[in-house]
Amino acid sequence: VQEGGLRGTAVFGGATNLVYAYAGQWMYFEMMTEMEAPADFPKAFLLSGPIMVGLYLLVACLGYYYLGGTPAGSLVESVPAGPAYRAAQGLLLLHVTIVYMVKSVVLARSAHGRLAPAAA
């Protein structure tokens, strides 16, 4: 708690972190409906879940190791200009592109099913 009490921006920042952490949960049901065998989703998640947690933990630990506990802004914004910064930006672009492609397939199929149900 900061001196003088808890600021609204700190509360809002903490709340948005919580929302962001669970924002992908709705997508699991959408992905299961796209699978040929939805009952296999837990198997896929048991493989991909630990990989995702491990990669996020690796990035967090590396960021903490190289930048310390108080980076200015986001982790990518805190990387000094140079090859490491370009690599971080490239990996971030790859991450956002993959997320967009996965979400767009589900949304496009949903829109197709509503607009042309006979052809879906």
Side-chain angles (χ1 to χ4, degrees):
V1 176
Q2 300 171 358
E3 276 188 35
L6 190 61
R7 292 183 14 218
T9 55
V11 173
F12 183 73
T16 55
N17 283 340
L18 184 64
V19 168
Y20 180 74
Y22 294 101
Q25 302 300 315
W26 68 272
M27 196 66 172
Y28 295 150
F29 300 110
E30 301 293 335
M31 288 190 303
M32 285 192 301
T33 61
E34 296 295 321
M35 295 177 70
E36 288 180 22
D40 288 341
F41 181 78
K43 290 185 225 172
F45 189 75
L46 283 174
L47 177 66
S48 64
I51 291 171
M52 289 186 289
V53 169
L55 288 173
Y56 277 105
L57 187 59
L58 176 68
V59 169
C61 290
L62 287 173
Y64 185 79
Y65 178 78
Y66 286 108
L67 300 172
T70 56
S74 73
L75 186 62
V76 175
E77 292 171 343
S78 300
V79 176
Y85 181 74
R86 287 192 295 278
Q89 291 288 351
L91 291 171
L92 183 59
L93 175 65
L94 178 65
H95 174 72
V96 170
T97 302
I98 290 170
V99 169
Y100 171 77
M101 290 189 314
V102 168
K103 288 186 175 184
S104 67
V105 166
V106 172
L107 294 173
R109 286 206 187 214
S110 176
H112 184 233
R114 292 180 194 278
L115 297 172

